[in-house]
Amino acid sequence: MNKSQKQPHARAWQRMLSGRRLDLLDPSPFDIEIEDIAHGLARVARWNGQTRGDHAFSVAEHCLLVEDCFAQIKPGVPGRWRLAALLHDAPEYVIGDLISPFKAAVGIDYKALENRLQAAIHLRFGLPAQLPSDITSLIKRADRTAAFFEATQLAGFAPEEAVDLFGAPRGLKPVKLTPLAARDAQAAYVRRFQDLMSANERS
């Protein structure tokens, strides 16, 4: 091959059901739609699918749980930060839900891709690209709390093991988790997103 000829670039975009083409290396907020996010997250299984029930417990359901835990941990928190909690795993509609040990093995390049997607999603829905550090910390706490409930109710973890890994929930009401069919999880996610967006517009 002549040196002047360029190697073709590998395709780095994904076509969404909305018709958008999302560039994974340089994602634009204009190519992000909540319907695509909800559709994808409702079909991505938490815990690599190793959960009890007739349906996988999806990332969409996890995000709903995290948003609820976040609101209990920080009563009266502005709705925009509840929206951030709902969207905290939104990049997984594109890149899937890799378990934490695998993320650590993959390294910083994976995290950089995830962070670029997260920033674009935030901007698309009126949030700052980078959340305030206190909000990020609260969302992480809510995420760990949700993981405790999922681990002990669905993923076969003993309570003592889950406490060691995720910490014990403090001051939160008990939850009963029942995995939903994908279409039901998708619809619930979109409804909650719309509720939070409407509340933000009124405030």
Side-chain angles (χ1 to χ4, degrees), residues 26 31 152 169 192:
D26 186 22
D31 291 327
T152 53
R192 188 63 188 138

Side-chain angles (χ1 to χ4, degrees), residues 7-199:
Q7 289 276 9
H9 292 290
R11 178 170 67 89
W13 54 264
Q14 179 176 345
R15 186 190 187 281
M16 302 297 170
L17 288 178
S18 65
R20 298 288 189 183
R21 292 188 178 190
L22 181 65
D23 186 330
L24 305 184
L25 300 180
D26 186 22
S28 167
F30 297 108
D31 291 327
I32 293 167
E33 301 292 347
I34 194 60
E35 291 79 11
D36 293 330
I37 292 174
H39 183 94
L41 295 185
R43 288 159 178 80
V44 176
R46 287 276 290 171
W47 307 95
N48 278 348
Q50 297 299 306
T51 50
R52 302 185 181 100
D54 294 333
H55 304 286
F57 188 78
S58 69
V59 175
E61 294 169 89
H62 166 75
C63 290
L64 289 163
L65 178 59
V66 169
E67 188 263 324
D68 182 65
C69 292
F70 177 78
Q72 291 187 61
I73 291 169
K74 186 74 171 177
V77 66
R80 68 194 311 238
W81 303 136
R82 294 185 67 163
L83 178 62
L86 183 71
L87 295 170
H88 81 283
D89 275 343
E92 293 179 8
Y93 88 108
V94 174
I95 58 181
D97 181 26
L98 298 182
I99 60 174
S100 296
F102 189 78
K103 286 182 180 180
V106 170
I108 190 64
D109 287 343
Y110 173 87
K111 194 63 181 176
L113 172 63
E114 186 177 36
N115 288 342
R116 284 195 294 271
L117 281 166
Q118 189 73 74
I121 290 165
H122 283 167
L123 293 173
R124 172 66 177 85
F125 300 118
L127 297 169
Q130 299 292 328
L131 300 179
S133 59
D134 60 328
I135 297 300
T136 297
S137 295
L138 287 170
I139 292 174
K140 287 180 178 178
R141 179 179 163 190
D143 193 27
R144 290 192 299 270
T145 299
F148 175 90
F149 290 135
E150 295 166 17
T152 53
Q153 293 186 37
L154 301 174
F157 285 66
E160 298 78 11
E161 184 180 12
V163 167
D164 286 342
L165 291 170
F166 310 113
R170 303 189 305 274
L172 274 74
K173 63 185 179 183
V175 296
K176 174 65 175 174
L177 302 179
T178 303
L180 301 173
R183 66 176 177 274
D184 296 328
Q186 178 178 344
Y189 189 92
V190 170
R191 282 195 304 270
R192 188 63 188 138
F193 170 84
Q194 292 172 339
D195 289 345
L196 290 169
M197 288 295 285
S198 296

